[in-house]
Amino acid sequence: MDKALERIKELDREIRTLNGIEALLGWDHHVYMPERGVHQRSEQTAYIASLSHQKVTNPEFGDLLDKLGASAENPLGSKSLSDDDRRLVRAVYRDFHQQTRVPGSLVEEFARVTSIAQSVWTEARKKSDFSLFRPHLEKIVDLNLQLADHLGYTAHPYDALVDQYEPEITTAQIATVFRQLREALVPLVRDIKAAKQVDTSFLRQPYPVELQEQFGRAVLDAIGFDSQRARLDRSVHPFTTTIGVDDVRITTRYLADLVTSSLFGIVHEAGHAFYELGFAEGFRGTRLADACSLGIHESMSRFWENVIGRGRAFWSHFYPQFKETFPDQLSGVDIEAFYKAINRVEPSLIRVEADEVTYSLHIILRFELERMLIGKELKVKDLPHAWHEQSRDLLGIVPDGDASGVLQDIHWSGGSIGYFPTYALGNVYGLQFTAKLREQIPDLDTKVRHGEFAPIKAWLDTNVHAHGRSRTPQELCQQITGNPMSAEPFVNYLKTKYRDIYDL
Ligand code: MG
């Protein structure tokens, strides 16, 4: 049994090495690569990806899992193994069976259809014309239905799709949490709309990019971003990627006329980086040194961006320095006006520009439509109409064309259905964890006001980051909070914060 386990760890080291190389190629693609490098880079990336797919689906894993006593009824394997080794066995079992259940012909068909669909989507969005993209999306929905059948599910085919990103969560569980969110957020947004709007004009003026970068780097330093193990660069779309256990890259973009974009973008990506850098030492080289789920990953980035970064305490520490950096832009703007401006709420059509309150409503809209498409209750041709209806119900506004509605996101063109819910689940988990963090560090705000971020990071390291993929999201949530997933802490947080800001 020991030998089988050692062999699994050996195979995992190869897989992790390939993952790191693939990530580095991707990072370079988006940060440094000259435009015309793209064709050969695609070949290089595809080559590494197929090598890594071969390694993950190596039939040897099947034999090793048998030797370790793992089965569908008992994916953790033999009880004589240590707890962490059993969790590694479970992760291997899950990956191996998930990957080998899907026929190679379907994987190839997915790649072929989505590579065309992505370029058509770009064109269709430019022309704001859904009819161009529609036949491609029909194929993508059909391929996802086939995928769900191969992956397997009990209640709803959408369960199988969402499970790829958020292990072991069901459509019904998501629907329950999203109903709680919807019932609380729709009236809150309505009340905010009726209240006096806050002024944000001083944020929308020229802020020199070099100074934005300088301030962003100072914030990273202060919150504990370790420049020996991580770095910040620029790219068109901000992202975080992991080259190795001691090498995590984050990126941002600087908009000269919107200072908040890079500022909160950096803090958001730092939250992702802290997670990637915080896995337990003992997991190094294995697949347990990875995120628990996309929802948990996003809970960390949103915690830093919103709970910490858009909080009063954070700015009572940083505002003097920020104002010193931008004296003209912020002349006459006190901290209270600044705090309100960075937390302005307003229903808007574009998800990626949404504020903290309306953001989850954008996600609920997509979840409802995806669930109906996959449940065959909605046809692709009726999608723009359904989008309008949902948008009116959830946000009180309707798109003025396909580009600001059904064509705005890249996800479907890439074949991803079931991904969106993880963004809102991140908010939900994040505030559940925050409630516990506040219980255990009662003077959290005082610490933040004094610029003491180390205790927060240490708490997250111990309670969230270290566990990596050894827990399922629901096990982690239960372990940290003593409760299953619940929207209540997030809803309470939003109500308290925004009733104060909008004087409701
Ligand atoms: Mg993120």
Side-chain angles (χ1 to χ4, degrees), residues 327-478:
D328 298 339
Q329 293 85 341
L330 295 168
S331 136
V333 178
D334 65 14
I335 182 167
E336 199 51 25
F338 180 77
Y339 168 72
K340 287 184 175 177
I342 58 170
N343 285 296
R344 175 188 170 112
V345 173
E346 189 169 33
S348 62
L349 294 170
I350 304 298
R351 175 184 59 88
V352 296
E353 290 162 13
D355 55 76
E356 199 183 3
V357 182
T358 59
Y359 189 88
S360 298
L361 297 173
H362 285 269
I363 298 307
I364 294 171
L365 180 155
R366 287 150 180 78
F367 166 71
E368 296 294 353
L369 298 179
E370 287 189 337
R371 178 170 65 153
M372 287 194 282
L373 283 173
I374 296 301
K376 296 187 181 163
E377 296 163 56
L378 173 68
K379 291 199 165 73
V380 170
K381 74 172 169 61
D382 299 323
L383 201 52
H385 178 70
W387 188 291
H388 274 237
E389 304 259 284
Q390 289 283 343
S391 184
R392 183 181 302 116
D393 290 353
L394 285 159
L395 295 158
I397 47 174
V398 292
D400 45 14
D402 294 338
S404 61
V406 67
L407 286 176
Q408 68 180 274
D409 301 305
I410 195 171
H411 303 59
W412 291 340
S413 72
S416 303
I417 295 182
Y419 187 113
F420 283 118
T422 66
Y423 291 122
L425 295 177
N427 288 329
V428 168
Y429 294 132
L431 268 298
Q432 280 185 275
F433 300 165
T434 304
K436 205 69 199 174
L437 169 69
R438 284 191 183 279
E439 227 175 272
Q440 294 178 358
I441 308 183
D443 60 342
L444 180 82
D445 290 329
T446 312
K447 286 195 158 62
V448 171
R449 263 197 297 278
H450 292 131
E452 291 169 34
F453 297 98
I456 303 173
K457 234 180 113 263
W459 190 92
L460 295 172
D461 274 337
T462 307
N463 291 284
V464 186
H465 306 157
H467 299 299
R469 250 191 97 185
S470 67
R471 308 311 196 258
T472 67
Q474 316 206 49
E475 284 171 355
L476 187 69
C477 184
Q478 187 72 42

Side-chain angles (χ1 to χ4, degrees), residues 238-240 268-269 272 294 297-298 301-302 305 419 423:
F239 65 93
T240 298
H268 179 100
E269 299 306 329
H272 282 307
L294 291 185
H297 225 312
E298 201 64 13
S301 55
R302 280 165 199 264
E305 177 190 350
Y419 187 113
Y423 291 122

Side-chain angles (χ1 to χ4, degrees), residues 60-75:
E60 195 184 342
F61 275 121
D63 302 336
L64 294 166
L65 286 165
D66 283 345
K67 281 189 187 132
L68 292 162
S71 64
E73 299 73 42
N74 178 32

Side-chain angles (χ1 to χ4, degrees), residues 113-403:
V113 167
T114 55
S115 87
I116 300 166
Q118 286 183 56
S119 55
V120 174
W121 168 77
T122 309
E123 193 59 28
R125 190 167 79 149
K126 216 179 281 165
K127 294 183 175 151
S128 194
D129 182 356
F130 180 68
S131 70
L132 300 173
F133 182 55
R134 180 184 139 192
H136 301 270
L137 186 56
E138 281 167 348
K139 276 186 207 154
I140 285 168
V141 169
D142 182 56
L143 288 174
N144 271 283
L145 283 167
Q146 293 179 42
L147 177 64
D149 281 340
H150 287 291
L151 290 170
Y153 57 88
T154 41
H156 196 291
Y158 194 71
D159 289 349
L161 301 179
V162 84
D163 180 82
Q164 301 172 96
Y165 312 104
E166 200 64 21
E168 291 178 35
I169 202 164
T170 64
T171 310
Q173 286 170 312
I174 299 174
T176 304
V177 166
F178 282 6
R179 197 177 318 116
Q180 290 177 297
L181 282 182
R182 184 179 194 137
E183 281 166 8
L185 299 189
V186 170
L188 179 61
V189 171
R190 206 186 302 129
D191 292 348
I192 290 173
K193 257 172 117 173
K196 186 173 177 292
Q197 190 50 285
V198 302
D199 177 23
T200 54
S201 55
F202 49 86
L203 295 177
R204 292 187 165 274
Q205 47 175 325
Y207 281 77
V209 164
E210 315 76 67
L211 294 177
Q212 287 191 40
E213 179 167 359
Q214 183 191 314
F215 185 79
R217 287 186 184 277
V219 168
L220 280 181
D221 263 356
I223 63 177
F225 187 78
D226 181 353
S227 59
Q228 305 256 302
R229 301 177 67 207
R231 53 176 289 134
L232 165 70
D233 291 274
R234 296 186 191 192
S235 67
V236 178
H237 300 287
F239 65 93
T240 298
T241 194
T242 299
I243 319 293
V245 283
D246 292 310
D247 185 355
V248 171
R249 314 285 173 93
I250 70 170
T251 68
T252 196
R253 62 170 162 214
Y254 300 95
L255 304 177
D257 57 353
L258 187 60
V259 67
T260 46
S261 174
S262 72
L263 189 56
F264 294 113
I266 285 174
V267 180
H268 179 100
E269 299 306 329
H272 282 307
F274 290 156
Y275 190 13
E276 292 285 322
L277 291 166
F279 303 133
E281 293 267 343
F283 295 163
R284 285 185 169 216
T286 76
R287 69 187 78 200
L288 294 185
D290 203 348
C292 170
S293 72
L294 291 185
I296 300 293
H297 225 312
E298 201 64 13
S299 79
M300 294 295 93
S301 55
R302 280 165 199 264
F303 167 79
W304 282 100
E305 177 190 350
N306 293 325
V307 179
I308 300 294
R310 290 184 207 266
R312 265 203 186 88
F314 184 88
W315 286 100
S316 104
H317 179 69
F318 283 111
Y319 195 61
Q321 190 184 341
F322 192 62
K323 207 169 163 166
E324 221 170 87
T325 314
F326 302 106
D328 298 339
Q329 293 85 341
L330 295 168
S331 136
V333 178
D334 65 14
I335 182 167
E336 199 51 25
F338 180 77
Y339 168 72
K340 287 184 175 177
I342 58 170
N343 285 296
R344 175 188 170 112
V345 173
E346 189 169 33
S348 62
L349 294 170
I350 304 298
R351 175 184 59 88
V352 296
E353 290 162 13
D355 55 76
E356 199 183 3
V357 182
T358 59
Y359 189 88
S360 298
L361 297 173
H362 285 269
I363 298 307
I364 294 171
L365 180 155
R366 287 150 180 78
F367 166 71
E368 296 294 353
L369 298 179
E370 287 189 337
R371 178 170 65 153
M372 287 194 282
L373 283 173
I374 296 301
K376 296 187 181 163
E377 296 163 56
L378 173 68
K379 291 199 165 73
V380 170
K381 74 172 169 61
D382 299 323
L383 201 52
H385 178 70
W387 188 291
H388 274 237
E389 304 259 284
Q390 289 283 343
S391 184
R392 183 181 302 116
D393 290 353
L394 285 159
L395 295 158
I397 47 174
V398 292
D400 45 14
D402 294 338

